DNA sequence: ATCCAGGAAAACG
DNA sequence: CGTTTTCATGGA
């Protein structure tokens, strides 16, 4: 068991961070412990005011994973450009963007399309159960998220049982296309934002929204501003008055919204997106 | 039954 | 080229 004390000027809320919908494999018990599978390990963690208590990971790993090395206060000052975002920031104090495992994040957001968070969580869990490695922790079974080869080797038969609907071929095709995770990660990491975005969108099942989420939540490209139905509503009501009223979000509308956000909130507009999303209710 | 959910691909003018 | 339709699933 490790402990870690957060400095007074180091804002962090474990509940906001794990509960805001950016990540899908964490659960909180009634006793106040969060359990999550990250990589090959189960992590158990809790927060008591300024103290973090955890096992299954080292202090440097936790620091990296929860972006505790970043000066959140400074980032929030740069995006705090109007009363509406200011209120969202105050309501979601301590929310940080997680550095998610990249491949898992990619599949997660391929599975997220036209769906809701409980359903996405179930899909990721099912894929892990089908193809992942079993991990026993405190007598309970958990499953790591599988490598691409584990999914492609089955020839797609087992994937069809994961209830992904029309997303099944997207996941399979993308697993085939990625092949080597390390190489893929390095390629995307080395690219500038727009180029990386175009590269991700070549993958099956990856459109503008999924690409932006992966760039923001896994590659730390904070210029990304994912636009889902909620963000679109918020931007429409509070920021951009005259958007055309079509049922689906067209490519031009998406670009209009994300470019406005990049201008208005600045280079950390991705943080603004997550605060707006988390404060939506 | 109808609508909705952190959309994307295919089909269509 | 931009715009509409289709897609599978489960919960409300």
């Amino acid at each position: 068991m490790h402990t870690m004390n957060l400095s007074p000027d180091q804002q962090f809320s474990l509940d906001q961070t794990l509960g805001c919908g950016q990540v899908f494999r964490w659960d909180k018990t009634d006793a106040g412990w969060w359990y999550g599978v990250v990589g090959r390990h189960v992590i158990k963690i809790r927060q008591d005011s300024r103290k973090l208590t955890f096992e299954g990971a080292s202090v440097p790993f936790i620091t990296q994973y929860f972006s505790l090395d970043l000066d959140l206060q400074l980032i929030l000052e740069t995006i705090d450009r109007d009363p509406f975002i200011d209120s969202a920031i105050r309501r979601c104090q301590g929310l940080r963007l997680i550095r998610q495992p990249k491949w898992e994040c990619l599949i997660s957001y391929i599975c997220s399309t036209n769906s809701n968070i409980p359903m996405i969580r179930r899909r990721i869990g099912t894929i892990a159960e089908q193809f992942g490695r079993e991990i026993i922790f405190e007598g309970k079974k958990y499953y790591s998220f599988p490598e691409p080869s584990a999914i492609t080797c089955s020839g797609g038969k087992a994937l069809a049982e994961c209830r992904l609907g029309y997303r099944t071929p997207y996941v399979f095709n993308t697993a085939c296309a990625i092949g080597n995770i390390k190489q893929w990660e390095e390629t995307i990491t080395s690219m500038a934002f727009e180029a990386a975005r175009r590269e991700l969108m070549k993958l099956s099942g990856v459109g503008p929204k999924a690409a932006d989420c992966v760039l923001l939540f896994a590659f730390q490209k904070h210029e990304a501003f994912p636009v889902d139905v909620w963000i679109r509503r918020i931007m429409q009501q509070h920021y951009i008055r005259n958007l055309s009223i079509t049922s689906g979000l067209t490519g031009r509308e998406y670009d209009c919204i994300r470019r406005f956000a990049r201008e208005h909130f600045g280079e950390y507009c991705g943080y603004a997106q997550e605060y707006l999303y988390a404060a939506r209710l």
Side-chain angles (χ1 to χ4, degrees):
Chain A
M1 192 75 76
H2 303 272
T3 64
M4 186 175 161
N5 288 304
L6 300 164
S7 66
D9 59 336
Q10 194 176 16
Q11 277 191 64
F12 181 59
S13 164
L14 189 62
D15 287 346
Q16 288 287 352
T17 300
L18 290 177
C20 73
Q22 62 177 318
V23 69
F24 303 106
R25 299 202 69 198
W26 285 90
D27 283 294
K28 191 183 185 183
T29 66
D30 294 335
W33 287 97
W34 284 93
Y35 288 79
V37 185
V38 184
R40 294 185 160 276
H41 299 281
V42 175
I43 299 176
K44 175 185 180 183
I45 185 168
R46 69 177 294 133
Q47 177 173 26
D48 299 282
S49 65
R50 309 223 59 81
K51 189 177 80 174
L52 293 177
T53 309
F54 55 92
E55 61 180 285
S58 65
V59 170
F61 184 90
I62 292 296
T63 304
Q64 171 80 8
Y65 183 73
F66 290 108
S67 297
L68 293 168
D69 55 323
L70 296 185
D71 189 339
L72 181 60
Q73 195 61 44
L74 204 60
I75 291 171
L76 296 182
E77 281 172 19
T78 71
I79 65 169
D80 195 357
R81 302 284 180 88
D82 64 80
F84 190 74
I85 187 71
D86 184 69
S87 137
I89 290 171
R90 277 188 279 103
R91 271 213 279 168
C92 305
Q93 282 234 339
L95 168 58
R96 285 173 183 265
L97 293 183
I98 290 173
R99 291 189 175 111
Q100 296 188 32
K102 300 172 172 64
W103 154 251
E104 177 179 336
C105 183
L106 174 66
I107 296 303
S108 298
Y109 282 94
I110 287 176
C111 290
S112 78
T113 69
N114 201 21
S115 190
N116 51 41
I117 290 178
M119 205 51 52
I120 301 164
R121 293 169 57 88
R122 230 185 56 176
R123 293 190 187 120
I124 305 304
T126 307
I127 292 174
E129 270 182 50
Q130 272 287 347
F131 304 102
R133 181 182 297 271
E134 185 180 298
I135 309 167
I136 304 288
F137 186 81
E138 295 182 343
K140 282 188 63 183
K141 290 181 180 178
Y142 296 83
Y143 296 88
S144 67
F145 195 80
E147 303 257 316
S149 59
I151 293 173
T152 56
C153 281
S154 73
K157 298 278 187 272
L159 193 61
E161 297 171 13
C162 292
R163 316 289 299 167
L164 307 182
Y166 61 85
R167 306 158 194 86
T168 305
Y170 299 163
V171 171
F172 187 80
N173 293 339
T174 293
C176 292
I178 298 292
N180 184 324
I181 291 183
K182 268 281 177 282
Q183 190 181 327
W184 170 72
E185 289 181 356
E186 285 172 19
T187 303
I188 302 297
T189 302
S190 70
M191 298 174 100
F193 171 65
E194 292 290 346
R197 190 171 188 268
R198 283 193 295 275
E199 193 61 29
L200 286 183
M201 286 172 61
K202 291 178 184 171
L203 296 167
S204 174
V206 181
K209 163 64 169 52
D212 284 334
C213 285
V214 173
L215 290 170
L216 182 60
F217 301 139
F219 286 92
Q220 291 78 53
K221 297 200 186 286
H222 303 292
E223 312 140 78
F225 192 85
V227 182
D228 58 46
V229 293
W230 296 98
I231 290 295
R232 186 200 179 200
R233 259 172 236 155
I234 291 166
M235 295 304 287
Q236 200 162 227
Q237 287 174 13
H238 300 276
Y239 292 94
I240 311 174
R241 276 288 153 208
N242 43 0
L243 276 175
S244 60
I245 310 156
T246 52
S247 55
L249 181 60
T250 68
R252 275 196 305 114
E253 278 176 332
Y254 193 108
D255 274 353
C256 169
I257 294 173
R258 76 183 181 100
R259 289 186 198 291
F260 173 90
R262 177 66 181 81
E263 275 299 303
H264 182 71
F265 297 116
E267 63 178 316
Y268 288 101
C269 60
Y271 262 87
Q273 189 272 0
E274 203 52 23
Y275 274 82
L276 292 174
Y277 182 78
R280 70 191 180 281
L281 306 174

